[in-house]
Amino acid sequence: DAKTTQPPSMDCAEGRAANLPCNHSTISGNEYVYWYRQIHSQGPQYIIHGLKNNETNEMASLIITEDRKSSTLILPHATLRDTAVYYCIVRVPFGADSSYKLIFGSGTRLLVRP
Amino acid sequence: NAGVMQNPRHLVRRRGQEARLRCSPMKGHSHVYWYRQLPEEGLKFMVYLQKENIIDESGMPKERFSAEFPKEGPSILRIQQVVRGDSAAYFCASSQTLGGANTEAFFGQGTRLTVV
């Protein structure tokens, strides 16, 4: 079962920041938070991941609360092409060799309005 | 560096036939994951493989489904005696171990299986 809770849908205006929240209150100390998105029916696209610290890359920023029970994905200047389903995932490790699997939840359907 | 390649992109099978879905991971990647997505639903984990080993198959149906990732060649997801309920998009992802850490997984564009 997915270990995350996300709102089913959100919308924002083009050019504005999109802030997508995610709750993961049962996260363990060695479990990473990953974000992927799926545009229409394409394959999921990796966005960003983090453990404790906030992270930023060319696509987005990830803000993780100090207690790690929630996080927010920020798309700083949303465009129409950012319309997609966004998945927040807690990476579940197992084994001693860094093996893991990603369990997807229902995600947030983000609609960027012109 | 080519991404994760899946073929065919679309596959039509009659009920009772076999479906073979192929996934070539990114160069240097030794971990492969298969997911299934039914229409209007999220992705469901099926199986996680490393070269010649099945690590976790907890999401695989008990019958008719099998997966392999041989030492040479692509990973194969095989569905025997397909039924209409097998119609779905099947996605493959791959990742690599770098510096002792298993890095982020990258997904292919999927194979859309239609059973008629």
Side-chain angles (χ1 to χ4, degrees), chain A residues 34 36 38 41-44 46 49 87 91 94 97-105 109, chain B residues 33 35 37 43 45 48 50 55-56 58 91 95 100-105 107-109 112:
Chain A
Y34 274 66
Y36 282 78
Q38 189 174 27
S41 298
Q42 298 177 20
Y46 166 79
H49 73 278
Y87 295 98
R91 193 180 90 169
F94 55 87
D97 62 349
S98 73
S99 298
Y100 73 85
K101 60 185 178 183
L102 300 174
I103 304 300
F104 285 75
R109 191 173 296 273
Chain B
Y33 310 81
Y35 289 80
Q37 187 172 34
L43 287 91
F45 169 80
Y48 166 32
Q50 293 180 19
I55 306 302
D56 183 341
S58 58
F91 292 98
S95 65
N102 193 348
T103 64
E104 60 270 22
F107 282 78
Q109 290 304 302
R112 278 146 188 85

Side-chain angles (χ1 to χ4, degrees), chain A residues 9-10 17 19 30 39 43 59 65 69 83 108 112-113:
Chain A
S9 63
M10 294 183 63
N19 298 285
N30 62 343
I39 297 173
M59 288 184 67
T65 58
K69 292 185 177 182
T83 292
T108 295
V112 180
R113 294 177 281 103

Side-chain angles (χ1 to χ4, degrees), chain B residues 53-74:
Chain B
N53 287 306
I54 296 175
I55 306 302
D56 183 341
E57 56 182 346
S58 58
M60 289 279 271
K62 293 288 185 277
E63 298 176 346
R64 300 186 299 108
F65 285 72
S66 62
E68 63 177 7
F69 187 18
K71 186 177 181 180
E72 300 291 338

Side-chain angles (χ1 to χ4, degrees), chain B residues 8-68:
Chain B
R9 293 292 305 277
H10 301 274
L11 182 62
V12 179
R13 284 287 177 267
R14 296 186 184 279
R15 282 178 294 170
Q17 291 184 319
E18 177 180 288
R20 292 172 69 89
L21 288 63
R22 296 176 199 79
C23 169
S24 295
M26 291 179 68
K27 186 177 180 181
H29 285 201
S30 59
H31 307 263
V32 166
Y33 310 81
W34 285 94
Y35 289 80
R36 177 166 64 176
Q37 187 172 34
L38 297 170
E40 304 302 320
E41 295 189 11
L43 287 91
K44 300 298 183 186
F45 169 80
M46 298 182 74
V47 64
Y48 166 32
L49 311 103
Q50 293 180 19
K51 285 285 188 181
E52 299 184 281
N53 287 306
I54 296 175
I55 306 302
D56 183 341
E57 56 182 346
S58 58
M60 289 279 271
K62 293 288 185 277
E63 298 176 346
R64 300 186 299 108
F65 285 72
S66 62
E68 63 177 7

